[in-house]
Amino acid sequence: MSRTGLLALSAAWLGRPGAEAPAREALAAAGRSPGDFAREARAHRLAAVALEAAERLGAGDGLLAALRAEARAGTARALALESAAAELAAAAKERGLSAAHLKGPAVDRSYGGRGLRTYDDLDLLVPAGQLDLWRGCLRDLGYAPANPAGGSWLRGPAETVDLHSGALELYGLIDVPEALRPVRLDPEAMLSRAKPDANLAFPALAAEDELLLAACHGFGLHLYARLVWALDVAVLAAAADPARVEAAAAESGAGRMLFHAADAARRLGLLGEPPGGWLERLRPGRLGRLERLVVGRIVRGDAPERAEFLLALAMPAPAGFRRAMLRRALLPSGRRLRQSAAAARGRGRLGGALRHFGQLARIGALALWG
């Protein structure tokens, strides 16, 4: 019920036609267990949005109090990261370094009210040639690498910074050679289109680039496990320039993924027809059985973990991509096993391997029997 209720409140917050009545029903149900609903809203990063919609619709005091408490907790985390971003921006300016925000605070500004779109870390897009300098900057500020690759950096209990510089391939966690990837988001081009914003420590990406990132990240990597990623797509689709959306999708090969993400947001009741009609122009001429099946499970919210791997296999790709994906799945890299081991709560390499192949068995069953 929480997922359905959160979608109804999000649609009402967006002002979607006919959304108010389902939202009121959701509020009545949530009022019977306000604490659980509010915690679920925060888990989906929708506490502030749900609170604003609930206040507008006259929800009960108990539910409003629970939502306010969860929204405040998310805002406190964001404020700590906002302060960290200002410190980083000052240090970067002294060293002649450049960067742009990804997701997080940059998407928050598209929501129309500060703090509505909460986030747990700072994602920075940096030029590839400056990556080592950025690592040195973070070290000097007291951050330490959180993983061997040095992509995530931590300081204290709440300050996390993720550096991104290579080809942004947010299409699945199983690595394949860059030349074979069907979706490749060009970080240098995105950086060139980023614009300063008086309310942000670093420049913000163009709305069209953020839309592609939201589509690939939320749909192709995390399967909308958090509903905020679907809401991101709906919010950014309304703000993006239609011609630039289609051009960026064509350049990156992300048109099919963008269609699925926006169409999923539409099927979830969050998106109407985007301005300019680009969604229908991106509609693929043909969808295979497996592609339709996985997309349908994602929209329903019951897709198994790692189903994005199956979706990647189901969609058109350069020659050799599927073979490389299957080879990496059956002979996983050390990095992949470490990720699985971490998710298996530290049960070592064997635990990571068992978890990895258990996931493959589940998605194999999905492919065969639906």
Side-chain angles (χ1 to χ4, degrees):
M1 179 60 205
S2 292
R3 186 177 190 272
T4 303
L6 287 170
L7 285 169
L9 283 176
S10 298
W13 177 79
L14 287 166
R16 298 288 302 130
E20 187 171 313
R24 290 187 184 279
E25 291 178 12
L27 289 173
R32 293 191 284 272
S33 185
D36 290 343
F37 185 84
R39 283 188 289 274
E40 185 73 10
R42 186 181 175 196
H44 284 283
R45 297 187 185 170
L46 292 176
V49 164
L51 173 60
E52 192 167 276
E55 288 175 334
R56 189 188 308 159
L57 296 173
D61 291 342
L63 180 58
L64 290 177
L67 285 171
R68 285 192 188 105
E70 296 297 341
R72 279 197 297 268
T75 300
R77 180 68 178 267
L79 286 173
L81 290 168
E82 190 176 298
S83 176
E87 180 189 28
L88 276 171
K93 186 176 181 180
E94 288 179 3
R95 298 167 187 235
L97 302 179
S98 56
H101 280 295
L102 288 178
K103 304 176 289 180
V107 176
D108 182 35
R109 71 185 184 134
S110 297
Y111 274 56
R114 188 164 170 257
L116 284 169
R117 203 294 191 189
T118 57
Y119 46 95
D120 293 333
D121 55 18
L122 288 173
D123 289 276
L124 295 180
L125 182 61
V126 305
Q130 295 183 7
L131 186 56
D132 286 339
L133 295 172
W134 264 104
R135 289 170 177 160
C137 179
L138 287 167
R139 258 193 210 95
D140 291 345
L141 291 174
Y143 290 83
N147 54 49
S152 290
W153 293 74
L154 302 177
R155 186 177 69 176
E159 295 171 327
T160 305
V161 177
D162 288 347
L163 298 178
H164 304 270
S165 63
L168 296 170
E169 209 292 287
L170 300 172
Y171 192 33
L173 288 175
I174 298 178
D175 295 329
V176 296
E178 187 173 320
L180 298 180
R181 297 174 181 177
V183 176
R184 282 181 284 175
L185 306 180
D186 184 352
E188 298 295 335
M190 288 185 170
L191 279 169
S192 72
R193 292 189 287 265
K195 301 293 184 187
D197 187 304
N199 298 313
L200 296 174
F202 294 96
L205 298 186
E208 301 76 36
D209 290 328
E210 282 289 4
L211 175 60
L212 288 183
L213 283 164
C216 294
H217 186 76
F219 193 84
L221 188 64
H222 291 301
L223 304 179
Y224 285 173
R226 287 175 171 164
L227 289 175
V228 72
W229 291 318
L231 187 57
D232 285 348
V233 170
V235 168
L236 291 164
D241 178 84
R244 292 177 183 171
V245 167
E246 293 186 71
E251 290 168 8
S252 63
R256 200 176 190 99
M257 184 66 74
L258 177 57
F259 168 79
H260 281 312
D263 188 53
R266 181 165 63 178
R267 290 161 69 180
L268 290 169
L270 302 177
L271 182 64
E273 179 61 37
W278 55 261
L279 178 55
E280 287 308 311
R281 288 196 293 276
L282 288 180
R283 181 182 292 277
R286 181 178 178 277
L287 295 176
R289 181 198 73 87
L290 185 57
E291 189 175 357
R292 288 197 307 273
L293 171 66
V294 178
V295 169
R297 291 286 296 269
I298 292 170
V299 172
R300 290 202 307 271
D302 62 357
E305 192 174 2
R306 297 288 176 253
E308 75 277 2
F309 169 75
L310 197 58
L311 183 62
L313 291 176
M315 293 198 287
F321 173 76
R322 293 180 181 83
R323 186 167 59 251
M325 285 280 283
L326 289 167
R327 185 170 61 249
R328 290 297 179 93
L330 297 173
L331 299 171
S333 66
R335 171 176 170 264
R336 181 70 190 89
L337 289 178
R338 285 193 297 273
Q339 289 172 330
S340 291
R345 298 183 182 176
R347 288 197 288 265
R349 202 174 177 90
L350 177 60
L354 291 174
R355 187 173 189 276
H356 174 80
F357 288 111
Q359 291 167 345
L360 290 185
R362 285 190 291 276
I363 63 175
L366 173 62
L368 292 173
W369 298 294

